[in-house]
Amino acid sequence: MAQEDFENAGAECMRFAAPGRVNLIGEHTDYSGGFVMPAAIDFRTVAAIRGGSGGIRIDSENFHETVEYSATEIPSAGRQHWSDYPMGVAWSLSQEGIRIPGFELSLSGDVPLGAGLSSSASIEVATAFALLALAGREMPLARIALACQRAENDYVGARCGIMDQFIACAGRVDHALMLDCRSLEYRLLPIPPEVRIVICNSMVKHEHAGGGYNTRRREVEEGTRILHRFRPAIAELRDARETDLNACAGQMPENVFRRCRHIITENKRVEDAAAALERGDLAAFGALMVDAHRSMRDDFQASCEELDILVEIASTLPGCCGARMTGGGFGGCTVNLVRQESAEEFRDRIRERYRMATGFDAEVYLCRASGGACRLA
Ligand code: GLA
């Protein structure tokens, strides 16, 4: 059903919105306690909710489907269906002792699906805000983010880190956020007004649950176990230095070594990138983005040909300060920092050259860093 019809029918409803995100730098570092630098973007999920007559009814405008569940017996695991995301949040909040009454929820939004821009986190966070309001409960943002991450990890079955849910909660207009994924402390970093965030969608779909993402996580965990045996103070990869890794090289398979090297060097790049942004040094920031892309391509091996092509083309275009793949990888999008005055030309030229190289029509979004989840009037 169209959300408008939902809002016009029956008892009064409340509406909440939560954004998608782009990650400027710091990839696959979140689940080993490291640093990330995402920004919320101006694509969002809107969740409209009203109290139900006892049951649960969820409607998705994107999937043109309505599903029903019992409110007294929320299933304890997903069933590989889009409704796993909102139901996972209902389950996760109930695990925190929040009594979820029956409800009717209508989801709509414009975050491109499966493009690595965190449509799933935006659905989870919009749903969490809606359910908490319905239950008359409040929670600190970090706890909401953690509850949504648990929904995705334990209910949907994708072992993501905390980055996407956190930025969907805590994004700030015209700012990126440098998040310490261990302490959940963060620093807001202004995006210089002379650049636009330009996102290029390779149109190659990525798939998280059960895919390459979970394999990468296992490889990282294996490396961490070996490093921990070497130096017990290494509880997470965040604690390891390159010298530790080099000392352990003989004890781990080549692929595991490379995954760890990516993460250890990436954490350092995020810290350097934050300092560069704070002193307005776009050239240094761009160079770090390019290094980060290479590391994802060669060491973490989570890029793909189409993403590499997009990054290569971007680096030859006027006004482009830096380009890299963004998000979990294996498809999805690149993020580019492009000077304001060149952004539109950049969009046209990259589309044209990407089509010539691959035959695909890339979607290109000129974005603005946006605020986090909120209640709508
Ligand atoms: C996905 C996950 C995040 C993070 C990124 C990679 O977006 O949901 O937790 O791990 O991949 O940086």
Side-chain angles (χ1 to χ4, degrees):
M1 160 183 1
Q3 200 163 71
E4 217 173 296
D5 300 331
F6 176 91
E7 284 162 23
N8 291 334
E12 220 175 298
C13 71
M14 300 180 279
R15 294 165 73 233
F16 300 83
R21 67 97 188 93
V22 68
N23 189 18
L24 296 184
I25 193 163
E27 225 61 87
H28 283 264
T29 43
D30 59 350
Y31 51 80
S32 52
F35 301 112
V36 293
M37 198 191 290
I41 54 175
D42 40 1
F43 287 102
R44 61 187 194 172
T45 294
V46 174
I49 195 163
R50 70 165 77 89
S53 48
I56 294 177
R57 205 180 146 88
I58 308 176
D59 173 277
S60 161
E61 203 170 293
N62 287 330
F63 289 95
H64 307 288
E65 199 185 357
T66 303
V67 290
E68 295 192 6
Y69 290 91
S70 148
T72 44
E73 283 170 66
I74 295 179
S76 57
R79 55 177 178 108
Q80 311 280 313
H81 187 258
W82 61 262
S83 62
D84 293 352
Y85 293 94
M87 284 305 289
V89 173
W91 167 82
S92 181
L93 291 176
S94 67
Q95 296 287 299
E96 301 238 345
I98 291 175
R99 205 187 66 79
I100 304 293
F103 62 88
E104 287 178 38
L105 179 74
S106 167
L107 297 169
S108 66
D110 58 4
V111 188
L113 299 179
L117 300 177
S118 291
S119 53
S120 40
S122 77
I123 292 171
E124 289 153 8
V125 171
T127 302
F129 270 61
L131 288 177
L132 285 168
L134 192 68
R137 297 285 294 266
E138 283 189 5
M139 255 193 197
L141 290 182
R143 231 175 108 202
I144 298 179
L146 287 166
C148 291
Q149 182 197 13
R150 186 171 55 223
E152 186 140 348
N153 289 171
D154 299 345
Y155 198 92
V156 176
R159 301 186 58 216
C160 66
I162 188 65
M163 168 168 72
D164 305 346
Q165 291 78 9
F166 198 94
I167 186 71
C169 288
R172 183 76 61 88
V173 174
D174 292 336
H175 287 74
L177 184 149
M178 176 174 164
L179 175 66
D180 175 332
C181 297
R182 175 141 69 195
S183 66
L184 298 186
E185 280 163 8
Y186 64 87
R187 206 151 108 213
L188 287 166
L189 304 167
I191 308 271
E194 64 267 31
V195 284
R196 288 296 290 268
I197 298 175
V198 182
I199 298 174
C200 299
N201 187 344
S202 68
M203 307 309 276
V204 178
K205 289 261 174 195
H206 80 145
E207 194 57 70
H208 273 178
Y213 186 91
N214 287 352
T215 311
R216 287 293 173 278
R217 244 194 112 146
R218 277 194 297 277
E219 291 168 328
V220 169
E221 283 161 3
E222 186 182 338
T224 308
R225 274 194 300 276
I226 296 167
L227 280 154
H228 176 71
R229 277 202 301 271
F230 170 71
R231 192 159 69 82
I234 301 175
E236 293 179 290
L237 265 194
R238 149 84 177 274
D239 306 312
R241 300 176 294 242
E242 260 195 284
T243 47
D244 298 316
L245 181 65
N246 290 333
C248 293
Q251 299 163 45
M252 53 177 83
E254 167 84 14
N255 61 325
V256 172
F257 176 82
R258 282 171 174 268
R259 308 303 179 246
C260 295
R261 185 167 61 190
H262 163 72
I263 290 177
I264 293 170
T265 57
E266 184 83 345
N267 278 324
K268 172 79 169 64
R269 279 188 289 271
V270 181
E271 292 186 284
D272 292 347
L277 212 50
E278 276 164 342
R279 58 174 197 272
D281 187 346
L282 286 168
F285 192 90
L288 288 160
M289 288 175 80
V290 172
D291 288 349
H293 182 78
R294 281 200 202 107
S295 181
M296 276 295 277
R297 183 191 64 195
D298 301 337
D299 271 352
F300 212 70
Q301 297 181 307
S303 185
C304 66
E305 204 189 332
E306 291 80 1
L307 291 172
D308 296 342
I309 291 174
L310 279 171
V311 169
E312 245 163 65
I313 300 172
S315 64
T316 66
L317 294 179
C320 178
C321 307
R324 55 176 289 275
M325 53 150 298
T326 186
F330 308 102
C333 294
T334 62
V335 58
N336 308 265
L337 283 191
V338 184
R339 295 204 172 268
Q340 276 291 358
E341 65 278 9
S342 307
E344 283 174 16
E345 189 192 338
F346 177 93
R347 175 187 57 203
D348 298 343
R349 295 197 37 198
I350 203 159
R351 290 196 72 218
E352 184 187 310
R353 296 207 15 214
Y354 184 65
R355 187 182 313 115
M356 269 163 42
T358 64
F360 292 136
D361 278 316
E363 283 180 3
V364 179
Y365 320 114
L366 306 190
C367 288
R368 178 158 183 224
S370 310
C374 61
R375 180 163 182 181
L376 300 174

